[in-house]
């Protein structure tokens, strides 16, 4: 169901013409999308980067769905065996950080000194869009453009925080408008991950392995 145009969409995971599999989120085509099962209010999307990078930037374009009440972005350096949080983004940071993820709201890096600080902040912009809705996560800058601690001088703890070879994105709970609009599912049209090779700044080139999955 597309709530924006108020029309039914045919979805069938067993039929390629009507399927919305995970690879649609990383195919560089925003006209295709991954879509979760209808009515399941906590889902996880995992991305194997196939080698270790230092994360710099993540970009989400949501598909034909409302943004979730909360998103947790986690990273792994052992290909999905263990995870550590990178950032939480919620509709209302005053209540949802604690209610959804059991953490306190941290909106920016002002006055902080820990390079591994994990933000829990509110989405920006309108929450009632079902197409053209974006989310950007910058590892080295917060939403008000303050730098993450540990960059000058360079702290090894910052490099540890940036390193990842596997990502897990957890989407939790539908907005009330999603339920009332019969759009109780999540979707991602495009997920882009920007990173740099682990080379301590001394490499002249970066050899990329096989395509992420």
């Amino acid at each position: 169901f597309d709530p924006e145009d108020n029309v039914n969409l045919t979805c069938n995971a067993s039929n390629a013409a009507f399927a919305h599999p995970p690879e649609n989120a990383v195919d560089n085509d925003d006209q295709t999308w991954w879509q979760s099962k209808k009515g399941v209010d906590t889902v996880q999307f995992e991305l194997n980067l196939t080698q270790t990078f230092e994360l710099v930037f993540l970009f989400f374009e949501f598909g034909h769905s409302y943004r979730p009440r909360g998103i947790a972005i986690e990273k792994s350096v052992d290909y999905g065996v263990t995870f550590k949080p990178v950032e939480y983004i919620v509709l209302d940071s005053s209540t949802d950080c604690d209610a959804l993820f059991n953490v306190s709201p941290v909106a920016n890096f002002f006055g902080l000194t820990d390079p591994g600080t994990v933000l829990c902040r509110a989405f920006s912009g309108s929450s009632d869009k079902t197409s053209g809705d974006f989310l950007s996560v910058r590892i080295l800058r917060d939403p008000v453009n303050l730098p993450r601690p540990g960059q000058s001088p360079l702290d090894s703890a910052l490099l540890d925080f940036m390193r990842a070879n596997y990502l897990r994105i957890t989407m939790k709970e539908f907005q009330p408008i999603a339920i009332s609009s019969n759009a109780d599912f999540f979707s991602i049209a495009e997920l882009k991950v920007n990173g740099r090779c682990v080379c301590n700044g001394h490499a002249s080139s970066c050899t990329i392995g096989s395509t992420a999955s």
Side-chain angles (χ1 to χ4, degrees):
F1 183 76
D2 182 349
E4 185 171 78
D5 297 327
N6 198 31
V7 296
N8 288 316
L9 300 175
T10 300
C11 299
N12 185 342
S14 62
N15 185 332
F18 301 110
H20 302 287
E23 52 265 32
N24 283 5
V26 290
D27 62 358
N28 291 312
D29 182 358
D30 62 6
Q31 299 304 303
T32 65
W33 67 93
W34 161 78
Q35 184 168 308
S36 69
K37 186 176 180 179
K38 195 173 185 298
V40 179
D41 71 352
T42 299
V43 300
Q44 293 180 331
F45 187 98
E46 299 186 1
L47 184 68
N48 185 351
L49 303 178
T50 70
Q51 69 186 77
T52 300
F53 296 96
E54 293 173 353
L55 300 178
V56 176
F57 182 80
L58 287 85
F59 171 83
F60 298 78
E61 180 180 351
F62 295 103
H64 293 271
S65 65
Y66 295 100
R67 62 178 66 163
R69 183 181 171 193
I71 291 182
I73 301 170
E74 299 169 287
K75 59 107 176 186
S76 173
V77 293
D78 52 18
Y79 292 99
V81 178
T82 60
F83 288 91
K84 290 184 178 181
V86 175
E87 191 161 314
Y88 302 101
I89 306 96
V90 296
L91 288 180
D92 183 350
S93 58
S94 66
T95 59
D96 293 343
C97 290
D98 180 55
L100 296 179
F101 303 115
N102 196 32
V103 298
S104 300
V106 182
N108 55 60
F109 298 132
F110 180 76
L112 301 180
T113 59
D114 181 6
T117 295
V118 177
L119 298 181
C120 184
R121 57 164 175 106
F123 284 103
S124 60
S126 172
S127 64
D128 60 0
K129 299 171 66 176
T130 57
S131 64
D133 195 8
F134 304 98
L135 171 63
S136 297
V137 176
R138 298 185 297 172
I139 304 301
L140 297 176
R141 293 274 172 175
D142 66 19
V144 294
N145 209 35
L146 292 174
R148 178 178 289 276
Q151 297 185 59
S152 182
L154 185 62
D155 192 321
S156 61
L158 173 61
L159 298 179
D160 289 341
F161 181 81
M162 295 172 67
R163 285 175 182 152
N165 51 38
Y166 200 98
L167 295 176
R168 180 170 69 187
I169 296 98
T170 302
M171 286 159 274
K172 298 190 72 170
E173 297 197 11
F174 305 117
Q175 297 185 54
I177 190 174
I179 298 173
S180 63
S181 302
N182 195 32
D184 50 341
F185 53 86
F186 305 116
S187 65
I188 299 175
E190 281 297 297
L191 170 59
K192 297 183 183 295
V193 181
N194 181 284
R196 61 195 187 198
C197 279
V198 179
C199 58
N200 300 313
H202 298 298
S204 60
S205 63
C206 180
T207 301
I208 307 299
S210 58
T211 304
S213 61

